[in-house]
Amino acid sequence: MTKKPARARRSDGEQTHAAILDTAVRLASIEGLGGLSIGRLAQEVGVSKSGLYAHFGSKQDLEMSIWAAAREIFEREVIEPALAAPDGLARFEQLCERYLSYIERRVFPGGCFFAGMLAEFDARTGRGHDEIADDQREWNALLDATAAAAQAAGELDPTADLRQLVFDVAAAIQLANYYFVLFGNAGVIDQARSSIRAAISRSGGHPPHHAP
Amino acid sequence: MTKKPARARRSDGEQTHAAILDTAVRLASIEGLGGLSIGRLAQEVGVSKSGLYAHFGSKQDLEMSIWAAAREIFEREVIEPALAAPDGLARFEQLCERYLSYIERRVFPGGCFFAGMLAEFDARTGRGHDEIADDQREWNALLDATAAAAQAAGELDPTADLRQLVFDVAAAIQLANYYFVLFGNAGVIDQARSSIRAAISRSGGHPPHHAP
DNA sequence: CCTACCGATCGGTAGG
DNA sequence: CCTACCGATCGGTAGG
């Protein structure tokens, strides 16, 4: 089926590559990209520094790969499961719930990778800033579009202020992430769930029906 | 009046001390405490590295002084003006408005200093984590107590869920800070104002009366 | 993938 | 407050 040469299993090189990225993404979620050094990462993974450079040509290259790897994890853990729900209110609720679950399950040990990048790069100029600005725009656009679909389907009031809804939901989600990591208290996740339910309800949405 | 020896004006040393802290606090709000190096700070201020060590014995000492300086600025710009309003709903509204104004006026060039520290230290252990946890607890406790006073005074519904109110308000404020810095768009501050007004209104609070 | 090395910068100190 | 220096670590490279 594939044009690649036959290869029974992943080579050691591929395993090492994946192991480096896995460790790097976890470390970066805790200490930020600026707090990540090649030497420490190499030590953590158990290879030499030049071993890292065999896989990533430069720190910038590594940082871009980390970002891409984190995006893949976010897609897999949050976006894709939510997109399995039908467009509209059900998907909107799933986007919120999947995000909160991804925080609660500590998919990244330092909390949402992108929330970390947001705070690290919001006030700087350059690649990091532009990257996180794109990511945040995309996330908000997805929430916007999904809320709009819910409204168009009659699942939300035609007069509901969707900008406000999306802002309130994004704010609850964001604060829940930081406070969950800071205090290690799952209560704040439920607080956000309650906030989101209330915000949706204010916009005229009803809790999902359960078959008897 | 004072027991200190008479001194007509601030000595050069005091001026340098203040200049270092001012620059350090601004830099730290943009790049974080981890992104701040003694060498760069010295260069930015226009003194030698050992010039810095004449004022601050170590980087940890400097970091604690930066944190204290930032706290003073926050007290002056947000807390004190809000405490000028009578306890209760008026003060609650002023705490929100003063915070948003402090963001909007770019008191720190990198946005709220403590929002930066929150994201930098939430997932770590040690001094930074404990410090920001205390700060966040204190801020939320102030919002809690002020909302409770408003409720006790009959300015909010006796049945209003104050935890939810404070969470919603803190979330709106936080997101507004990050997005204002990231996108440089004042609209998000007004979005937060609108969120806060709505949250207060849901809790039974009424907009302040204006004398005719 | 390794060892061995590069110049630059880190936090910090000695001596004045 | 300065110059001059310390060992450690930074990102990165040479050569194998």
Side-chain angles (χ1 to χ4, degrees), chain A residues 16 48 50-51 54-55:
Chain A
T16 303
S48 68
S50 72
H55 290 277

Side-chain angles (χ1 to χ4, degrees), chain B residues 76-159:
Chain B
R76 192 210 318 138
E77 299 289 335
V78 179
I79 304 294
E80 281 172 22
L83 292 191
D87 198 5
L89 188 55
R91 181 176 295 175
F92 189 81
E93 287 169 333
Q94 275 302 301
L95 282 169
C96 299
E97 177 50 32
R98 273 283 149 180
Y99 185 98
L100 291 173
S101 159
Y102 137 93
I103 299 305
E104 208 169 22
R105 287 178 293 122
R106 300 178 201 268
V107 170
F108 295 106
C112 176
F113 179 87
F114 302 97
M117 297 301 105
L118 170 60
E120 184 170 355
F121 292 107
D122 59 350
R124 305 193 193 184
T125 54
R127 270 182 186 73
H129 175 276
D130 299 345
E131 198 71 52
I132 193 60
D134 283 350
D135 290 346
Q136 292 292 327
R137 264 190 282 262
E138 197 183 327
W139 169 247
N140 279 282
L142 177 58
L143 289 177
D144 276 337
T146 309
Q151 194 176 44
E155 297 170 322
L156 294 176
D157 263 2
T159 61

